[in-house]
Amino acid sequence: MCGITARVGHDEAIDELLSGLRNLEYRGYDSAGVATVTPDGLTVIKRSGEIDELCTAVEKTPVHGSSGIGHTRWSTHGPPTDANAHPHTDCLGQVAVVHNGIIDNYSDLRDELSTHEFTSDTDTEVVPHLIEEQLSAGYEPEEAFRRTIDRISGSYAIAAVFDGSDAVYGTRSGSPLVLGVDDDTYYLASDVPAFLEYTDDVVYLQDGDVVVMDPDGYEISDTDGEAVERAVETVDWDPSDAGKGGYAHYMLKEIYEQPTALRQSIRGRSNSMTGRAEFEELPEETFDGVESVHLVAMGTSYHAALYAQALLSDRGVTAQAFLSGEYGSNPPPTDERTLVIAVTQSGETADTLSAIRSVQGTGARTLAVTNVVGSTATRECDDTVYIRAGPEIGVAATKSFSSQVATLILLSERLSQDLSGGTPRATGEVLDALSVLPDDVQRVLDASTADTVAAEYHDSDSYFFIGRGVGHPVSMEGSLKFKEITYDHAEGFSAAELKHGPLALVTENTPVFAVFTGRDDTKTLHNVKEIRARDAPVIAVASEGTDRIREYADHVLEIPETHPDVAGVLANVQLQLVSYLAADELARPIDKPRNLAKSVTVE
Ligand code: AGP
């Protein structure tokens, strides 16, 4: 869960390395460093703290050289200190290495390298010392790099530079690494935003690929050194996508990008003539023979998966959402009648990748529902459907949830049309509601009174979020967003659970957000009355004109009237705004919440 960047060219590398790291900070931000190749040897500068600390250090000690590597860290082995920050070097300063992932056999290797002087607690530092062994055995840098890779096991994306060579060496296994191609400059990075302002021509490296790039070009080969061809693809992302676009935070920008993201997610996928949901990526026969659906995901994506479970069950399709981390280590029986849908924004979440791999070979069909073209999940699954939300930089997922749910609503319609026993929604009523969803979200963004709620309740003891049907996963998502960025205790659960325990926690200091979607609202209103009886403040999220709800709520966050299957998306936008504004009231580092990172690439 770190960010790697590297660059070779004909002019100074440092500015592009630092801006690359800035655009990767959502992957980890507790320490950072760079290394460049100069005629006087390798220059290595690294600091604990955010990128600003590193930039200040670089200002004080100018860094030269047209080839270099950089790293922004999310600690797994050893606390965030200058010594544990990357790059790591060998005893003689011949090679510098940055790494994202975990080297499982590092302690055995470290024992083997007992004569070497280790200066950090990290797993990564074994790599430069192993390379040193190969160099002292007389191998050239590339061979030394390859022989070292053969020795390590675990998940990794690695980039290295050597003293006396302006080449950068890179490889990946289990962690993402992409190559950026420009006229006479080449980049390596954990993700495209690192170099999007310089080039949108990208090569998606695959596990086992080894890339050697220097100012004159690049070569990709497999672990045995055999050259491999990898296509250069152009990403249709605009460089400003990697910027804040004038918003105070990426999270706020991405909340306001939802109408656009939803239009992209829905475009060309709902045929109002036939009332059918259509996916160009999924040929007609894709779901032939499928009888049940498993959805695997983590975090916000798990809440989108739970939303889809409710939709599919409602359409008579046997479906269950699972936490990937549990599913991967103990997968339920699957066979050719099972469809396993992996819901993952980044396409790189290690838990979800292992859940996919746990059913490979059982005959189950696998489908990735993801936001990132070329991500590992797209290669591990039989089929892929993109949610088309555009790059999401904010660690707290927002627009990706809405686009995931919109895509899963369409997929649920398609599955209920294709699967035997499925009962698709008649008359396209859901597709109609979906087609106006982007405008409805815009109305919520334009008219929301979330600021009043945040101002009044941002320093309460705890926060509860309740809902029924699709309102249940929305309440879980609302509480996750609240926890992630305000650092306050929040819980989301089905309103049906309230009397079976959680009601004991409800007091006048625990605001309760109640989500009304237009289905089972009467029951949810009963729960609101039980909460009011304990004097707890109630903030209802409900469509306009629901006066009977307004009577029992201290505040109503209004959403446009729409189909219950779609209403959850609108309600969630209100909860996103409340979380953002409450965190802003508390002056939290909203884009870089403590202890978190955008995509969790280790289990
Ligand atoms: C959500 O705000 C978090 N960033 C996190 O829970 C995230 O949803 C989870 O790690 C899953 O990530 P994915 O969708 O990229 O697989």
Side-chain angles (χ1 to χ4, degrees), residues 138-204:
Y139 291 102
E140 289 303 312
E142 179 167 349
E143 194 47 30
F145 184 76
R146 285 180 186 288
R147 295 174 67 86
T148 295
I149 300 306
D150 290 347
R151 299 292 322 281
I152 61 175
S153 64
S155 64
Y156 53 82
I158 290 172
V161 286
F162 288 75
D163 179 18
S165 154
D166 55 11
V168 167
Y169 298 79
T171 187
R172 63 155 292 171
S173 177
S175 295
L177 195 64
V178 290
L179 170 67
V181 180
D182 198 3
D183 302 343
D184 58 2
T185 307
Y186 303 94
Y187 305 87
L188 272 183
S190 301
D191 202 350
V192 172
F195 51 69
L196 191 57
E197 62 195 278
Y198 309 118
T199 179
D200 53 11
D201 288 336
V202 176
V203 176
Y204 293 99

Side-chain angles (χ1 to χ4, degrees), residues 5-14 16-17 37 65-69 160-161 165-169 179-188 211-218:
T5 188
R7 182 262 191 204
V8 294
H10 295 281
D11 49 6
E12 296 280 278
I14 191 62
E16 292 186 357
L17 288 174
V37 181
S66 59
S67 299
I69 55 178
V161 286
S165 154
D166 55 11
V168 167
Y169 298 79
L179 170 67
V181 180
D182 198 3
D183 302 343
D184 58 2
T185 307
Y186 303 94
Y187 305 87
L188 272 183
V211 57
V212 180
M213 58 186 206
D214 63 30
D216 306 322
Y218 66 89

Side-chain angles (χ1 to χ4, degrees), residues 527-588:
N527 299 120
V528 163
K529 293 175 185 172
E530 290 150 5
I531 292 161
R532 288 309 305 261
R534 278 83 188 163
D535 297 329
V538 170
I539 299 96
V541 185
S543 55
E544 304 116 349
T546 46
D547 295 342
R548 62 197 179 99
I549 295 171
R550 192 174 298 283
E551 200 184 320
Y552 294 94
D554 297 273
H555 196 97
V556 177
L557 292 168
E558 288 190 352
I559 57 173
E561 196 80 36
T562 187
H563 190 282
D565 288 0
V566 172
V569 176
L570 298 171
N572 189 58
V573 173
Q574 287 284 20
L575 299 180
Q576 290 168 348
L577 289 167
V578 170
S579 299
Y580 174 83
L581 294 161
D584 203 33
E585 290 271 358
L586 297 162
R588 300 290 191 231

Side-chain angles (χ1 to χ4, degrees), residues 433-475:
L434 211 50
S435 61
V436 296
L437 178 61
D439 299 335
D440 284 348
V441 168
Q442 191 61 57
R443 288 171 56 194
V444 170
L445 294 171
D446 296 343
S448 176
T449 54
D451 50 353
T452 314
V453 171
E456 184 163 353
Y457 298 111
H458 68 271
D459 58 359
S460 305
D461 294 355
S462 284
Y463 302 81
F464 297 113
F465 297 74
I466 62 171
R468 288 172 182 269
V470 297
H472 176 196
V474 167
S475 65

Side-chain angles (χ1 to χ4, degrees), residues 298-301 343-347 349 395-397 404 480-481 484 597-598 600:
M298 297 302 283
T300 288
S301 296
V343 184
T344 166
Q345 186 283 132
S346 62
T349 296
V395 169
Q404 282 170 335
L480 176 63
K481 274 305 92 61
E484 279 187 286
K598 182 68 186 167
V600 184

